[in-house]
Amino acid sequence: MTQNDRPSPEALLRAAAQEGRGRLKVFLGAAPGVGKTWEMLTEGHQRRDAGVDVVVGVVETHGRRETEALVQGHEVIPRRNVEHKGHSLGEMDIDAILARAPALVLVDELAHTNAPGSRHPKRYQDVEELLDAGIDVYSAINIQHVESLNDVVASFTRVRVRETVPDFVLEQAEIEVVDIPPDELIERLKDGKVYIPREATRALGHFFSKTNLTALRELALRRAAQAVDAQMLEHVRANALAGSFAVGERIVVAVSELPHAAGLVRAGKRMADALRAPWTAVHIETQRHRQFTGEERRQLADTLALATRLGASTASIPATDVVEGLRQFAREARATQIVIGKSSRTWWFEMRHGSVVDRLVRSVGDVAVHVLPSGEAAVPGRKTRHRRRGHWGNPADYLWSLLMVAAMAVIGRLLLEALDLGNIALLFLIPVMFAAATFGLRAGLFAGLASSLAYNFFFLPPTGTLTVSNPENVISILVLLGVAVVTSQFAARVRAQADLAGSSARQNAALASFSRQLTAAVTREELMQAICAEVSRLLDVRAVLLLPSADGPVLAAALPPEDRLEQIERAAAQWAMENDQSAGRGSATLTASDWLFNPLRSSAASGRGVLGVLGIARTDAADPLRSDQLPLLMSLLDQASIAFDRLTLEEENLRAQAVGERDRLRSALLSSVSHDLRTPLTTILTAAKEMRQHPSGELAEAIETEALRLNRFVANLLDMARVEAGALPMKPEPTDLFDAVAGAAHDTRAALHGHAVQLDIPPDVPLVRVDPVLLHHCLINLLDNAGRYADPGTPILIRGRRVPDMLLLSVIDQGPGIPLGQEKRVFETFTRLEGSDRVRHGTGLGLAIVKGFAEAMGLSVAASNNEDPPGACFTIRIPDALILKSFEGNFEDRDVP
């Protein structure tokens, strides 16, 4: 199977990624009221009647009776209520749909923004999760909600839609256009079938004008056609089908190093605009590319840069022949039209080399070829270029070829008595093949001619002359020369293909290395330095990276690090950043700068615009970029932009998580303060008022108890602040665990009222080196927690156990235990797991303090459910390094009242 016959690996990988995913079908309309929801519900009924399990996830009827009638008969998943600013908002219940697991779910208004607090901010993200679960989805959207068309729609409707859907969602969907003529839609609007009469009158005067509706209709049809064309091409590539499938136009513009190539690019742009077709500017890189002068390389780079600015994709394809490379690229791109220029050539040049245009027209089959004349007198210039020094290669190549021929002549003379002349002639093929494979075609041809002359001079009678006495020997010379020519061509072609393959492999390896370096960077500073270092290494340039700021571009990274920019360089960087185009030397703007600045663009989905600019320059002040390096630079810029986008998203996610955590802690703190301060304060105020009238010791005890509770609450807040600030004073010393447990039980006797404390600690448990004050606080909070959650009248067990590498000290209550899966969450700040049969008071700080204090001392703490006795078990783990092995304790099991 040849490369042209095999399926595209990328297409196969994308097809494999869709295996197991649900299918998305989008009903696309030009405007509200065209009947998208009605069509979606109708097709849902048809699928249900065919035996498919269909449910309605969310449908907006907007009070339309015919739409409401269609909802009847469908199973509707109830919406979940989300509280926001005092209002209850109904949103699609994605968890209920996943639990129901239908075959197909109907989800209206794909561009909808979910209420704050929902799992995903956008409804299309809910749909993505349903698709990942293998559930098919039908949805609906208007063309103005497509992200890439948002600006276009706003330009003529004067209405900018804020709710948009990224284009990739539609690219993976089957699209059905729901279309009605503008006049019919306007009649529906007047009849009140779209909006209520007052809103309908206002809409007719603004958004729903016939001109706007016609333009929106055309956009919807074109966008659907583009999606169908892209899906068709994906199927064609995945199945290796032949043909261009010209249902949609695709244009390829062939560019070269000649000045008139810029005119070809502009012509391709006009053609693409007229046909509304995607287009690509491609340069075929052959062996001749190595012979370009600096001016020719600069001209080619300018042409490709112009194509990029005009909106084209660019490519530089290595090939042994221009026609073969262009034909292969057009086949892979499924091009329907090729734009190529024809330079003025002499009849002698075309007789020797042929016409690229004529060969292309004969070989591309059903692809239309547009030939544009160059309009220049190219012959003198081309003669000058062909005559420049070094065109025939290095003289040393010919010297080595001649020495190889001489060596074969010497070997032939030595073997003359043992071999006949026919076999000796074969020896002279060795230098021909060596020269062609090592030095190229011209050196091979030279070796062939020299071999023929040497064979004639040294071996054919009369020897020592170039005269041939026997006519049969003339045939031998001609055959030898012909074989030498053919062998040279084949060997040179193989060498050229090997060079091109090596060049492609080196570029791929460079991109892979660049990607690895960027992936390894975990901070923005590391990423920026890695970008500069790799670009500098791969392109042999100096590199700087600038980021936008309120005061203009700021130098963020450079290689060499001491590089600084002058005022004109900063102006070029600012222009590149503001206009999203290249600027500086080698571009079309601010060419006085020694640096070339290229923007790093964010993805269209993120909408962040230009993330920064990358500047490159050469030490010798030459143009910073050669034409053959332009594709590599474009690939490096794309990968750098993706890495920047990834890191920016990660930083924003971390910031959002931090803000969410702060909001959660703030809400929890306010809730805790309002409860844990108000309750004891109310008790204290009431008791104080009663004591003023009837002094009582019982009331005084109540005041003392609640005051101690307040004091403990404030102490917990201060301790938590110290934990989060990392400002815990550490004074480790040998500590007796039994004394520590007894002291904590004594200090919590009020909280443990009605509960006996049982100690189960072996007598040989040694001392441990910890901070006794922090350990005391840990035990107090664990016992206080156990007293609140233990069943009334049940004892609380404190158990010590020596295991390999550590000592375990556990506090076990006999209560309802910890809900499954919440073992780690109980240690989070302000977390309170309420029991199902009773209400617990507390701040949710105690266990978080235990975890913070334990980690500060080098210990760890874990929560689990105990079996005997049943209840929650909190265990402090003391590592072997903190255990004093020389001490033998003398403990006995006892009850602490």
Side-chain angles (χ1 to χ4, degrees):
M1 181 179 290
T2 64
Q3 183 177 2
N4 298 335
D5 299 327
R6 68 183 179 90
S8 166
E10 293 81 6
L12 288 177
L13 286 174
R14 286 190 289 269
Q18 295 299 318
E19 291 294 331
R21 273 177 57 93
R23 294 188 307 108
L24 173 63
K25 182 173 182 178
V26 173
F27 294 85
L28 179 65
V34 298
K36 304 180 301 300
T37 305
W38 189 90
E39 185 68 25
M40 179 180 69
L41 290 169
T42 301
E43 190 159 333
H45 276 290
Q46 295 172 356
R47 294 292 303 278
R48 190 194 62 186
D49 294 341
V52 179
D53 184 12
V54 182
V55 301
V56 172
V58 59
V59 166
E60 303 294 348
T61 63
H62 299 292
R64 300 166 189 159
R65 290 190 300 273
E66 62 272 17
T67 305
E68 293 175 349
L70 281 175
V71 175
Q72 304 299 323
H74 277 301
E75 178 186 348
V76 180
I77 303 295
R79 303 190 190 190
R80 62 181 182 85
N81 292 323
V82 179
E83 297 297 328
H84 179 60
K85 295 183 178 180
H87 298 281
S88 181
L89 305 177
E91 294 291 354
M92 182 174 69
D93 193 341
I94 186 171
D95 290 319
I97 296 174
L98 291 172
R100 171 65 174 75
L104 172 64
V105 59
L106 311 182
V107 180
D108 203 5
E109 296 190 357
L110 185 61
H112 172 75
T113 299
N114 292 329
S118 301
R119 182 184 307 177
H120 303 296
K122 289 289 197 175
R123 183 168 290 169
Y124 75 82
Q125 295 170 320
D126 295 337
V127 168
E128 285 289 312
E129 184 170 347
L130 295 175
L131 295 174
D132 290 336
I135 301 174
D136 293 345
V137 177
Y138 283 0
S139 191
I141 190 176
N142 289 321
I143 191 64
Q144 64 264 31
H145 294 286
V146 178
E147 176 66 37
S148 63
L149 300 177
N150 189 254
D151 292 337
V152 178
V153 173
S155 66
F156 60 84
T157 63
R158 301 297 186 268
V159 176
R160 181 172 293 277
V161 178
R162 297 189 178 184
E163 293 183 324
T164 59
V165 171
D167 287 55
F168 74 84
V169 177
L170 269 68
E171 290 168 0
Q172 66 182 2
E174 175 187 350
I175 295 181
E176 178 177 327
V177 178
V178 182
D179 182 45
I180 62 174
D183 291 334
E184 185 175 339
L185 179 56
I186 291 173
E187 288 299 322
R188 284 175 52 82
L189 195 67
K190 291 179 179 178
D191 293 341
K193 296 181 179 180
V194 180
Y195 296 122
I196 60 177
R198 181 181 300 175
E199 292 183 354
T201 303
R202 185 175 57 188
L204 283 170
H206 296 85
F207 188 85
F208 282 82
S209 68
K210 184 174 181 178
T211 304
N212 287 350
L213 293 177
T214 303
L216 291 169
R217 187 186 186 197
E218 180 181 2
L219 277 178
L221 294 172
R222 288 188 179 276
R223 185 63 184 82
Q226 290 174 6
V228 171
D229 185 64
Q231 293 167 2
M232 182 269 299
L233 287 180
E234 189 76 4
H235 176 75
V236 165
R237 289 167 179 152
N239 293 275
L241 302 179
S244 59
F245 292 85
V247 292
E249 299 293 341
R250 294 174 289 275
I251 300 172
V252 171
V253 180
V255 300
S256 67
E257 77 284 2
L258 298 178
H260 77 271
L264 295 179
V265 169
R266 296 186 182 94
K269 168 64 174 175
R270 293 193 296 272
M271 187 178 299
D273 287 345
L275 298 174
R276 301 289 182 93
W279 63 298
T280 303
V282 60
H283 167 64
I284 306 302
E285 183 180 335
T286 63
Q287 288 291 98
R288 190 173 60 86
H289 185 273
R290 299 181 178 182
Q291 303 168 6
F292 284 177
T293 64
E295 178 61 32
E296 288 169 337
R297 293 180 185 276
R298 182 165 48 252
Q299 181 63 52
L300 178 59
D302 290 345
T303 302
L304 292 175
L306 173 63
T308 301
R309 291 197 299 271
L310 294 179
S313 301
T314 59
S316 184
I317 306 300
T320 57
D321 179 76
V322 172
V323 174
E324 180 60 29
L326 190 56
R327 186 170 65 87
Q328 176 68 22
F329 181 82
R331 181 188 295 114
E332 293 177 355
R334 308 288 170 171
T336 60
Q337 302 193 41
I338 296 177
V339 179
I340 190 171
K342 182 173 178 60
S343 301
S344 301
R345 305 289 192 186
T346 63
W347 66 271
W348 173 243
F349 182 90
E350 291 196 356
M351 186 176 68
R352 288 183 297 142
H353 301 284
S355 172
V356 170
V357 173
D358 293 342
R359 290 167 54 205
L360 181 65
V361 171
R362 288 194 297 268
S363 64
V364 293
D366 57 350
V367 180
V369 179
H370 300 267
V371 182
L372 303 181
S374 65
E376 63 176 3
V379 177
R382 302 303 290 173
K383 285 184 178 180
T384 301
R385 189 180 72 83
H386 278 288
R387 289 175 183 171
R388 67 174 180 266
R389 183 179 179 181
H391 176 70
W392 288 95
N394 191 344
D397 300 345
Y398 297 94
L399 178 60
W400 280 107
S401 301
L402 192 60
L403 290 176
M404 285 287 294
V405 173
M408 290 302 105
V410 172
I411 294 174
R413 295 298 298 179
L414 295 175
L415 300 177
L416 184 59
E417 299 298 331
L419 301 175
D420 57 24
L421 290 178
N423 291 329
I424 291 176
L426 295 178
L427 292 175
F428 285 97
L429 293 180
I430 297 175
V432 174
M433 297 177 63
F434 172 81
T438 307
F439 306 125
L441 177 61
R442 290 182 176 86
L445 294 176
F446 172 79
L449 180 61
S451 296
S452 299
L453 294 176
Y455 178 67
N456 182 10
F457 189 83
F458 292 107
F459 297 98
L460 294 182
T463 58
T465 69
L466 296 178
T467 303
V468 180
S469 61
N470 188 347
E472 294 180 358
N473 292 333
V474 175
I475 296 177
S476 299
I477 294 175
L478 294 177
V479 170
L480 176 61
L481 184 59
V483 170
V485 171
V486 173
T487 304
S488 298
Q489 290 179 333
F490 279 127
R493 183 173 299 178
V494 170
R495 177 175 180 265
Q497 291 176 343
D499 290 343
L500 292 174
S503 175
S504 178
R506 286 191 297 273
Q507 180 165 327
N508 291 336
L511 291 175
S513 173
F514 187 66
S515 179
R516 286 194 299 269
Q517 294 292 332
L518 298 191
T519 304
V522 295
T523 65
R524 184 178 289 265
E525 290 71 22
E526 290 179 3
L527 176 63
M528 293 186 295
Q529 200 58 43
I531 291 173
C532 290
E534 288 299 299
V535 169
S536 177
R537 180 180 66 84
L538 296 174
L539 300 179
D540 190 24
V541 294
R542 295 149 56 201
V544 295
L545 190 69
L546 297 95
L547 299 180
S549 72
D551 299 326
V554 176
L555 184 63
L559 196 80
E562 63 273 8
D563 262 334
R564 292 296 179 266
L565 300 178
E566 302 298 333
Q567 189 64 33
I568 184 142
E569 276 78 28
R570 292 188 176 275
Q574 179 73 28
W575 193 93
M577 197 172 291
E578 292 176 351
N579 295 274
D580 193 14
Q581 295 182 16
S582 299
R585 177 168 294 215
S587 70
T589 305
L590 297 173
T591 56
S593 170
D594 291 335
W595 292 75
L596 172 64
F597 294 96
N598 295 277
L600 298 177
R601 305 176 181 89
S602 66
S603 62
S606 67
R608 293 181 182 83
V610 177
L611 302 171
V613 290
L614 177 69
I616 57 176
R618 293 194 184 275
T619 306
D620 55 5
D623 280 349
L625 196 67
R626 302 193 309 268
S627 61
D628 58 316
Q629 294 177 321
L630 182 62
L632 177 59
L633 176 64
M634 294 297 106
S635 299
L636 296 178
L637 290 173
D638 288 342
Q639 289 200 23
S641 300
I642 292 172
F644 243 108
D645 237 356
R646 171 186 61 81
L647 204 60
T648 302
L649 286 172
E650 290 178 356
E651 292 174 350
E652 290 182 354
N653 186 44
L654 289 175
R655 285 196 294 270
Q657 290 179 355
V659 171
E661 182 66 15
R662 284 198 300 269
D663 290 342
R664 188 186 72 81
L665 292 177
R666 186 181 298 111
S667 299
L669 178 61
L670 290 175
S671 175
S672 177
V673 168
S674 65
H675 178 273
D676 292 280
L677 284 182
R678 184 181 300 165
T679 301
L681 281 176
T682 301
T683 303
I684 292 172
L685 291 174
T686 302
K689 185 176 180 181
E690 289 292 328
M691 283 189 67
R692 186 177 301 166
Q693 300 176 359
H694 310 287
S696 168
E698 187 176 328
L699 292 175
E701 184 179 352
I703 291 175
E704 182 183 7
T705 300
E706 295 303 324
L708 289 174
R709 180 178 168 188
L710 272 179
N711 182 65
R712 187 162 58 249
F713 174 68
V714 174
N716 279 341
L717 286 177
L718 294 175
D719 287 342
M720 198 66 239
R722 291 160 62 198
V723 169
E724 292 182 347
L728 292 175
M730 290 289 297
K731 295 180 180 180
E733 58 185 58
T735 303
D736 188 327
L737 288 181
F738 181 81
D739 289 345
V741 169
H746 179 270
D747 288 348
T748 55
R749 60 189 183 278
L752 301 180
H753 179 71
H755 300 279
V757 178
Q758 296 178 348
L759 297 185
D760 180 13
I761 301 178
D764 58 348
V765 172
L767 296 179
V768 294
R769 183 174 293 278
V770 295
D771 188 314
V773 176
L774 296 185
L775 180 62
H776 183 72
H777 278 289
C778 290
L779 294 172
I780 284 177
N781 281 288
L782 289 179
L783 290 172
D784 180 72
N785 182 77
R788 290 201 309 271
Y789 283 88
D791 291 334
T794 58
I796 294 172
L797 176 63
I798 302 178
R799 175 183 295 165
R801 287 290 182 267
R802 185 75 163 88
V803 298
D805 300 329
M806 68 178 62
L807 179 65
L808 305 180
L809 185 63
S810 302
V811 177
I812 305 170
D813 63 48
Q814 297 186 41
I818 303 171
L820 189 64
Q822 302 293 317
E823 291 84 355
K824 293 184 178 180
R825 184 169 173 262
V826 295
F827 293 105
E828 295 179 2
T829 309
F830 295 115
T831 297
R832 289 183 290 183
L833 304 179
E834 305 295 344
S836 60
D837 60 341
R838 70 200 86 159
V839 178
R840 307 296 180 189
H841 64 274
T843 62
L845 288 174
L847 295 180
I849 291 172
V850 171
K851 182 174 183 293
F853 283 7
E855 292 178 349
M857 293 185 289
L859 316 178
S860 62
V861 63
S864 62
N865 285 313
N866 197 58
E867 294 183 358
D868 186 21
C873 175
F874 293 90
T875 301
I876 297 176
R877 299 168 178 169
I878 306 173
D880 198 53
L882 300 179
I883 299 174
L884 302 179
K885 301 180 178 58
S886 61
F887 179 79
E888 291 289 338
N890 185 21
F891 298 104
E892 296 179 357
D893 294 352
R894 69 197 75 181
D895 291 348
V896 179

